[in-house]
Amino acid sequence: MTANRIASAVLFGFDFQVNAAIILLLENISELNCVRLESNYEDIDITLNNNHHILAQAKAVEKSSTDFRNVRKNLEKALHSLSEGSEKIKTNKLILITNSPNPLNEENSKSIFYGDAHRSYGSLLDSSKKIINSYLNNVPCPLDLNQFSIQILPFETDDENERYKVVTQKINDFIGELKLKDPGLGKQLFKIWKDNIFTNGSKKDVSIVLSKKDLIWPIIVVTTDLEKIGNDFEEICDEVDYDEIVRQYKSFIDTCCEQVEIFTKIVYDFNIYKVPNSEKGIKKKMGYFLKNQWKNYVSIFTNDNMDADTSKGLTQAIIYSILKRRYEIDRIKNGVNL
């Protein structure tokens, strides 16, 4: 095997591992606390809110639909690794995730691993259990078979649409469950997550993990982009050039909107703010609030070096951005239990 061929196989395996991590974090998003590739315990290590872990061994085969020569070796290695990891920490699930549709190289069980199958040990054929048990006889640490499962992630070919079709579909389903209708969000999120998970896994310090907030805030940033929500700002505050303020201060406005204390205070103040009975409606209320209450926050968002018009405009823009984002952000956060 040439050096280029070996490198290609290694990269393919790591690509599979990153995509497998995306699948597993999505399946456990409500209880997920953080995720890490190449932790001290396993290929994929998901920490849950109760401090228990989901450990997964990721085993990829380049020609997965036809090459079953090493799948049992992969199974044996996974059982050894998962047993060692589960001895060190509390676990909820122990998973062998692979792209092989025949992970036991057994004719009788091929049909039960069709598609993106999830098979617990208890749901396997007796012949399949016998294969697994034969390897466990040589595993020095006990493995809780009630936690063990084999999961299939179809992942093959150099055609990216084909290779990533299951992962992208899972992401699109997740976006649909959050009731987000932003065109192209699935592709954007897939790229962001792939890059972030890969980068995190390449860091030597295994204490550096990706928290749920790290994974979810990119969705919030994309779906609540300032350029998408500024349609009626200038109508409410017609003396302020919203587009120009966003152009100059977009990063700063985003940072302010992501700070929980600021976000919570402004939303609370807005909810209890009273307007005349003749001026009912969210848009009118927002107009009153921006014009009459912005001075209460100007010291938080601006400094003495800004001229009066810029201070006023920036403060109003931040308040407006937070109020326009509040429903979208709350829906996303509630949907993932953040």
Side-chain angles (χ1 to χ4, degrees):
M1 186 180 293
T2 66
N4 285 342
R5 179 71 184 81
I6 294 172
S8 174
V10 170
L11 291 172
F12 180 82
F14 201 66
D15 191 19
F16 175 78
Q17 185 178 343
V18 170
N19 282 268
I22 293 174
I23 290 288
L24 293 176
L25 73 86
L26 283 173
E27 290 178 348
N28 298 280
I29 193 68
S30 290
E31 298 304 315
L32 180 141
N33 179 278
C34 61
V35 62
R36 167 76 200 197
L37 297 191
E38 303 296 337
S39 77
N40 284 329
Y41 311 111
E42 202 44 272
D43 288 348
I44 303 169
D45 184 353
I46 291 175
T47 305
L48 304 175
N49 290 331
N50 63 2
N51 288 323
H52 286 211
H53 293 246
I54 295 172
L55 300 182
Q57 263 275 305
K59 295 294 185 185
V61 180
E62 285 188 278
K63 297 180 180 180
S64 60
S65 58
T66 57
D67 183 5
F68 311 124
R69 292 170 300 169
N70 295 312
V71 294
R72 289 199 182 182
K73 288 183 180 179
N74 289 341
L75 170 65
E76 182 178 17
K77 291 176 182 177
L79 291 171
H80 272 268
S81 182
L82 290 168
S83 65
E84 291 175 359
S86 62
E87 276 287 287
K88 301 171 184 175
I89 52 175
K90 293 180 179 180
T91 58
N92 275 16
K93 299 177 185 177
L94 303 169
I95 302 169
L96 164 60
I97 185 165
T98 179
N99 64 335
S100 175
N102 186 15
L104 302 177
N105 196 10
E106 180 190 31
E107 192 64 31
N108 291 340
S109 66
K110 283 174 63 176
S111 61
I112 71 172
F113 291 109
Y114 177 77
D116 56 340
H118 296 60
R119 282 289 178 170
S120 66
Y121 174 83
S123 72
L124 297 176
L125 302 176
D126 287 341
S127 58
S128 301
K129 293 178 181 177
K130 186 176 180 180
I131 293 171
I132 292 171
N133 292 341
S134 68
Y135 291 125
L136 287 176
N137 289 333
N138 299 317
V139 172
C141 305
L143 184 141
D144 187 348
L145 288 172
N146 291 321
Q147 294 187 10
F148 178 67
S149 64
I150 298 175
Q151 183 167 336
I152 311 303
L153 169 57
F155 190 89
E156 193 180 28
T157 83
D158 290 338
D159 183 331
E160 292 190 3
N161 289 328
E162 178 65 24
R163 181 187 291 196
Y164 303 126
K165 67 180 180 181
V166 173
V167 183
T168 53
Q169 184 58 54
K170 295 289 186 183
I171 292 175
N172 287 331
D173 290 345
F174 169 67
I175 291 170
E177 289 171 5
L178 294 177
K179 296 181 173 58
L180 302 176
K181 299 178 181 180
D182 196 331
L185 177 58
K187 288 184 178 180
Q188 287 179 281
L189 186 56
F190 179 48
K191 184 179 185 308
I192 291 169
W193 277 355
K194 276 192 70 177
D195 290 345
N196 290 352
I197 291 171
F198 173 85
T199 300
N200 179 252
S202 68
K203 294 178 179 178
K204 292 182 179 180
D205 184 352
V206 294
S207 68
I208 301 174
V209 297
L210 284 174
S211 69
K212 184 188 291 190
K213 182 178 178 181
D214 295 329
L215 296 165
I216 298 305
W217 270 109
I219 306 176
I220 293 173
V221 170
V222 171
T223 57
T224 61
D225 188 277
L226 293 170
E227 294 176 359
K228 300 174 184 176
I229 65 174
N231 296 334
D232 55 7
F233 180 82
E234 291 181 3
E235 183 179 335
I236 296 172
C237 301
D238 52 14
E239 72 271 25
V240 177
D241 188 340
Y242 179 80
D243 291 337
E244 178 62 20
I245 289 172
V246 169
R247 187 186 68 77
Q248 291 189 50
Y249 297 103
K250 184 178 186 303
S251 295
F252 178 70
I253 296 172
D254 281 334
T255 300
C256 291
C257 293
E258 292 171 13
Q259 291 182 29
V260 175
E261 296 83 3
I262 294 174
F263 183 91
T264 303
K265 175 174 174 50
I266 289 177
V267 171
Y268 175 79
D269 290 348
F270 178 74
N271 287 338
I272 64 173
Y273 183 69
K274 303 296 184 183
V275 296
N277 289 332
S278 60
E279 299 295 333
K280 292 295 184 183
I282 290 295
K283 188 173 180 180
K284 287 185 177 180
K285 181 178 179 179
M286 191 181 294
Y288 269 92
F289 190 80
L290 286 171
K291 289 179 179 179
N292 299 320
Q293 300 297 305
W294 67 271
K295 291 181 181 179
N296 295 339
Y297 313 99
V298 68
S299 63
I300 302 174
F301 304 129
T302 63
N303 56 56
D304 294 337
N305 295 325
M306 289 185 182
D307 61 70
D309 288 341
T310 302
S311 293
K312 179 180 179 180
L314 178 57
T315 301
Q316 289 182 331
I318 293 170
I319 296 170
Y320 171 81
S321 300
I322 287 174
L323 295 178
K324 290 288 284 189
R325 294 174 182 210
R326 69 194 187 282
Y327 295 125
E328 201 85 343
I329 290 175
D330 282 345
R331 185 166 71 249
I332 293 170
K333 289 172 69 177
N334 291 335
V336 301
N337 193 27
L338 183 62

